[in-house]
Amino acid sequence: LALAGGQGTRLGFSGPKGMYSINLPSNCTLFQMIAERLLALRNIAAKNSGSSTDALPSIPFYIMTSPINHEQTIDSFEKHSCFCLPKDDVFIFQQGMLPCLTDEGKIILEAAGRVAMAPDSNGGIYPSLVNSGAFADMENRKLKYLHVFSIDNALTKPADPIFIGYCMS
């Protein structure tokens, strides 16, 4: 599960961080890098299980966005055909929103009679999983473990069997 609600503004990029290219020779975005790693892992799992590559195992990719970048993220995945991942294995959902408060705990108004709202950050992952249907999808898939990482960690190995195995033990 990629935490991908942020924009790339600190990087000088106006879109979602996941659509940012870190200037590798391949010029691929962070989303594409993660997708390619998941595809490689699917191929390794199929090879090690003796399955044909026609029946690659499913490794679902959940992506938590924010209201700021949700539609752009969906559009990017549609434009790039889910970066070759099966469409059924990509689940993009939106984190929730909370009212903005001052340091004294008073509600901040965006306009007269309208409360200013902001994304509930990574801490909102749990209600967002439930409210979006992502948790129900995980239950239907009988998933037991979830690897959660920030999309801007370009070095992450999503669903890394060694890391997950260590965490399980």
Side-chain angles (χ1 to χ4, degrees):
L1 187 154
L3 302 172
Q7 291 290 95
T9 49
R10 287 185 303 222
L11 303 168
F13 179 69
S14 62
K17 270 193 236 177
M19 292 171 54
Y20 182 69
S21 168
I22 60 172
N23 295 320
L24 294 174
S26 65
N27 203 34
C28 62
T29 66
L30 292 165
F31 283 140
Q32 183 179 350
M33 289 171 61
I34 298 302
E36 288 177 1
R37 290 174 185 159
L38 289 171
L39 287 168
L41 186 57
R42 290 177 73 212
N43 287 324
I44 291 167
K47 181 180 174 186
N48 288 341
S49 70
S51 300
S52 73
T53 53
D54 296 334
L56 292 175
S58 172
I59 302 176
F61 184 21
Y62 296 92
I63 303 157
M64 187 172 81
T65 64
S66 71
I68 299 164
N69 67 14
H70 185 71
E71 292 303 321
Q72 282 182 293
T73 301
I74 289 173
D75 291 346
S76 177
F77 272 80
E78 287 176 355
K79 178 183 173 187
H80 295 98
S81 302
C82 292
F83 301 101
C84 298
L85 291 170
K87 187 174 180 159
D88 291 345
D89 281 351
V90 177
F91 195 111
I92 302 171
F93 66 101
Q94 206 172 146
Q95 67 191 97
M97 299 286 282
L98 290 173
C100 297
L101 305 175
T102 66
D103 289 340
E104 295 79 33
K106 295 182 180 181
I107 294 175
I108 298 172
L109 295 180
E110 185 174 308
R114 186 170 171 187
V115 175
M117 302 289 284
D120 61 6
S121 193
N122 295 344
I125 188 173
Y126 302 108
S128 298
L129 284 168
V130 172
N131 295 336
S132 68
F135 186 73
D137 184 74
M138 292 173 189
E139 285 182 313
N140 289 339
R141 292 173 182 268
K142 299 184 181 354
L143 295 183
K144 288 184 176 182
Y145 305 100
L146 188 61
H147 179 198
V148 180
F149 57 91
S150 178
I151 192 60
D152 54 3
N153 180 354
L155 299 178
T156 196
K157 295 179 181 177
D160 177 19
I162 295 170
F163 174 72
I164 292 174
Y166 178 77
C167 291
M168 289 168 52
S169 68

Short mmCIF file of all heavy atoms in Angstrom, two decimals, residues 5-6 15 25 37-38 70 104 112 122-123 125-126 128-129 131 150 152 154:
data_model
loop_
_atom_site.label_atom_id
_atom_site.label_comp_id
_atom_site.label_asym_id
_atom_site.label_seq_id
_atom_site.Cartn_x
_atom_site.Cartn_y
_atom_site.Cartn_z
N GLY A 5 -0.61 10.56 -1.00
CA GLY A 5 -1.52 11.70 -0.97
C GLY A 5 -0.86 13.04 -1.21
O GLY A 5 -1.53 14.04 -1.39
N GLY A 6 0.46 13.07 -1.21
CA GLY A 6 1.17 14.34 -1.31
C GLY A 6 1.42 14.81 -2.73
O GLY A 6 1.47 14.03 -3.67
N GLY A 15 2.44 18.12 -9.73
CA GLY A 15 1.49 17.01 -9.67
C GLY A 15 1.70 16.12 -8.47
O GLY A 15 2.51 16.41 -7.58
N PRO A 25 17.80 7.45 -15.99
CA PRO A 25 17.86 7.34 -17.46
C PRO A 25 16.55 6.83 -18.07
O PRO A 25 16.18 7.22 -19.17
CB PRO A 25 19.01 6.36 -17.70
CG PRO A 25 19.88 6.50 -16.49
CD PRO A 25 18.95 6.78 -15.34
N ARG A 37 8.45 -3.12 -10.22
CA ARG A 37 8.95 -4.02 -9.18
C ARG A 37 7.90 -5.08 -8.83
O ARG A 37 8.25 -6.24 -8.59
CB ARG A 37 9.36 -3.22 -7.94
CG ARG A 37 10.62 -2.40 -8.20
CD ARG A 37 10.97 -1.50 -7.05
NE ARG A 37 12.13 -0.68 -7.44
CZ ARG A 37 12.45 0.45 -6.87
NH1 ARG A 37 11.73 0.93 -5.87
NH2 ARG A 37 13.49 1.14 -7.29
N LEU A 38 6.64 -4.68 -8.80
CA LEU A 38 5.58 -5.66 -8.53
C LEU A 38 5.46 -6.68 -9.67
O LEU A 38 5.26 -7.87 -9.43
CB LEU A 38 4.24 -4.95 -8.31
CG LEU A 38 4.12 -4.16 -7.00
CD1 LEU A 38 2.84 -3.33 -6.99
CD2 LEU A 38 4.17 -5.10 -5.81
N HIS A 70 -6.27 12.89 -6.11
CA HIS A 70 -6.95 11.62 -6.41
C HIS A 70 -7.25 11.45 -7.90
O HIS A 70 -6.89 10.44 -8.50
CB HIS A 70 -8.24 11.53 -5.58
CG HIS A 70 -8.95 10.23 -5.71
ND1 HIS A 70 -8.46 9.05 -5.15
CD2 HIS A 70 -10.09 9.88 -6.36
CE1 HIS A 70 -9.28 8.06 -5.44
NE2 HIS A 70 -10.28 8.54 -6.16
N GLU A 104 -4.58 26.81 19.32
CA GLU A 104 -5.42 26.83 20.53
C GLU A 104 -6.60 25.87 20.43
O GLU A 104 -7.41 25.77 21.34
CB GLU A 104 -5.94 28.26 20.80
CG GLU A 104 -4.86 29.27 21.12
CD GLU A 104 -4.12 29.77 19.87
OE1 GLU A 104 -4.73 29.88 18.79
OE2 GLU A 104 -2.91 30.03 19.99
N ALA A 112 -16.92 32.54 5.45
CA ALA A 112 -17.99 32.68 6.43
C ALA A 112 -18.92 31.46 6.38
O ALA A 112 -19.45 31.12 5.32
CB ALA A 112 -18.77 33.96 6.16
N ASN A 122 -1.37 10.42 6.98
CA ASN A 122 -1.19 8.97 6.96
C ASN A 122 -1.92 8.27 8.10
O ASN A 122 -2.25 7.10 8.01
CB ASN A 122 0.29 8.62 7.02
CG ASN A 122 1.03 9.09 5.78
OD1 ASN A 122 0.41 9.40 4.76
ND2 ASN A 122 2.34 9.17 5.85
N GLY A 123 -2.20 9.02 9.18
CA GLY A 123 -2.93 8.44 10.31
C GLY A 123 -4.35 8.07 9.95
O GLY A 123 -4.99 7.28 10.64
N ILE A 125 -5.23 6.28 7.54
CA ILE A 125 -5.20 5.08 6.71
C ILE A 125 -6.29 4.08 7.10
O ILE A 125 -6.95 3.50 6.25
CB ILE A 125 -3.81 4.41 6.72
CG1 ILE A 125 -3.74 3.27 5.71
CG2 ILE A 125 -3.42 3.94 8.10
CD1 ILE A 125 -2.35 2.69 5.53
N TYR A 126 -6.50 3.89 8.41
CA TYR A 126 -7.42 2.84 8.84
C TYR A 126 -8.88 3.14 8.50
O TYR A 126 -9.54 2.31 7.87
CB TYR A 126 -7.21 2.53 10.32
CG TYR A 126 -5.78 2.11 10.58
CD1 TYR A 126 -4.90 2.95 11.24
CD2 TYR A 126 -5.29 0.90 10.11
CE1 TYR A 126 -3.57 2.59 11.44
CE2 TYR A 126 -3.97 0.53 10.30
CZ TYR A 126 -3.11 1.37 10.97
OH TYR A 126 -1.81 1.02 11.14
N SER A 128 -9.87 5.15 6.25
CA SER A 128 -9.93 5.26 4.79
C SER A 128 -9.99 3.89 4.12
O SER A 128 -10.68 3.71 3.11
CB SER A 128 -8.72 6.05 4.26
OG SER A 128 -8.74 7.36 4.77
N LEU A 129 -9.25 2.92 4.67
CA LEU A 129 -9.31 1.56 4.13
C LEU A 129 -10.73 1.01 4.24
O LEU A 129 -11.24 0.39 3.29
CB LEU A 129 -8.34 0.64 4.87
CG LEU A 129 -6.87 0.77 4.53
CD1 LEU A 129 -6.02 0.01 5.55
CD2 LEU A 129 -6.59 0.27 3.13
N ASN A 131 -13.69 2.83 4.77
CA ASN A 131 -14.67 3.66 4.07
C ASN A 131 -14.60 3.52 2.55
O ASN A 131 -15.61 3.68 1.87
CB ASN A 131 -14.51 5.13 4.46
CG ASN A 131 -14.81 5.37 5.92
OD1 ASN A 131 -15.53 4.60 6.56
ND2 ASN A 131 -14.25 6.44 6.47
N SER A 150 5.76 4.81 1.86
CA SER A 150 5.54 6.13 1.27
C SER A 150 5.96 6.09 -0.19
O SER A 150 7.01 5.54 -0.52
CB SER A 150 6.35 7.17 2.03
OG SER A 150 6.18 8.43 1.44
N ASP A 152 7.24 8.27 -1.98
CA ASP A 152 8.50 8.95 -2.30
C ASP A 152 9.73 8.20 -1.81
O ASP A 152 10.84 8.71 -1.93
CB ASP A 152 8.50 10.40 -1.83
CG ASP A 152 8.17 10.56 -0.36
OD1 ASP A 152 8.00 9.55 0.35
OD2 ASP A 152 8.08 11.72 0.09
N ALA A 154 11.90 5.91 -3.10
CA ALA A 154 12.25 5.30 -4.39
C ALA A 154 13.02 3.99 -4.23
O ALA A 154 13.14 3.23 -5.19
CB ALA A 154 13.06 6.28 -5.23
#
